[in-house]
Amino acid sequence: MQYALIIREAPEDFKRREDPVYKNGWVAYTQALVQAGIMTGGAGLTPPETATVIRRRGEDHDVQDGPFPEGKEQLGGFYLIDVPDLDAALEWAVRVPISQHGSVEVRPRLQM
């Protein structure tokens, strides 16, 4: 079963991305996923201020520069993993090197 580990980071976490200690935690985690043979995809994302949001307004669309929505956490990236079940996905999710201000959402991939 494939699960997305959706990473949300606080604004201060985006600023720490160049800090070698912070960065090395992410590199080590990613390497562990690869070595376990369960990583099928993923990517880190640029900071929220680089986002552009399109919203449908009837037949029209509004285009707005980000970040939207406003909140304490913003989407920082995701991993797509292939593990036997939710329990295994949760075991990997608790190992994600988020700060005390971040969070990880675990969501099954929609099977189509």
Side-chain angles (χ1 to χ4, degrees):
M1 179 101 193
Q2 288 191 332
Y3 290 88
L5 305 181
I6 303 164
I7 314 300
R8 291 193 174 81
E9 295 179 276
E12 54 267 24
D13 296 330
F14 282 96
K15 293 175 185 168
R16 292 179 52 211
R17 286 182 167 189
E18 296 305 314
D19 173 7
V21 174
Y22 188 74
K23 191 176 195 175
N24 289 342
W26 288 99
V27 171
Y29 180 75
T30 302
Q31 288 174 342
L33 290 173
V34 171
Q35 289 173 351
I38 63 170
M39 185 169 161
T40 61
L45 301 172
T46 59
E49 57 271 10
T50 66
T52 302
V53 176
I54 298 173
R55 298 184 193 279
R56 182 176 290 281
R57 303 287 185 226
E59 294 298 318
D60 296 325
H61 295 85
D62 286 342
V63 178
Q64 297 175 308
D65 290 332
F68 291 97
E70 300 223 2
K72 293 181 181 178
E73 298 174 346
Q74 297 288 341
L75 184 59
F78 67 96
Y79 291 97
L80 188 60
I81 61 173
D82 194 350
V83 293
D85 54 33
L86 177 60
D87 288 336
L90 293 174
E91 287 177 20
W92 281 97
V94 299
R95 295 174 59 185
V96 173
I98 55 171
S99 75
Q100 63 187 6
H101 306 289
S103 67
V104 179
E105 178 181 345
V106 178
R107 191 182 300 184
R109 182 175 158 228
L110 181 63
Q111 302 297 314
M112 298 185 72

